[in-house]
Amino acid sequence: MGIILIAISCLLWAAILIVPFLPAQLPQKAIGTTSLVIVSEALFWVGILLTGKELAHRFRRQLNPYYWWQRVTNRR
């Protein structure tokens, strides 16, 4: 269940990119974007709580640019 919530959270973050192209007025777009950010963050953290500490640590490590650089330099 937690992984599904994290996946939905990622989809909602991607949906934010669509909001500027919707046929709506600026205040409606601002409310939509803010709502998507709040809901996606809430789903992400609830998903992290459900999946556990180990997955959260692994996910945080994969998102850290320092470890990206280590992967690139170790492969040479």
Side-chain angles (χ1 to χ4, degrees):
M1 184 67 181
I3 294 174
I4 292 171
L5 290 176
I6 293 171
I8 292 171
S9 169
C10 292
L11 291 174
L12 290 176
W13 271 107
I16 292 172
L17 298 173
I18 299 170
V19 172
F21 302 107
L22 293 175
Q25 295 178 358
L26 187 61
Q28 293 170 335
K29 291 179 184 181
I31 291 170
T33 302
T34 305
S35 300
L36 284 172
V37 168
I38 292 170
V39 170
S40 64
E41 280 293 317
L43 288 177
F44 175 78
W45 287 110
V46 170
I48 290 294
L49 288 173
L50 290 175
T51 55
K53 184 178 178 180
E54 295 82 19
L55 184 69
H57 179 67
R58 189 180 325 151
F59 189 72
R60 190 178 309 140
R61 183 180 173 127
Q62 288 179 351
L63 290 179
N64 189 347
Y66 175 74
Y67 293 107
W68 298 345
W69 183 252
Q70 279 187 341
R71 284 189 220 156
V72 169
T73 57
N74 288 338
R75 291 190 180 185
R76 289 185 175 177

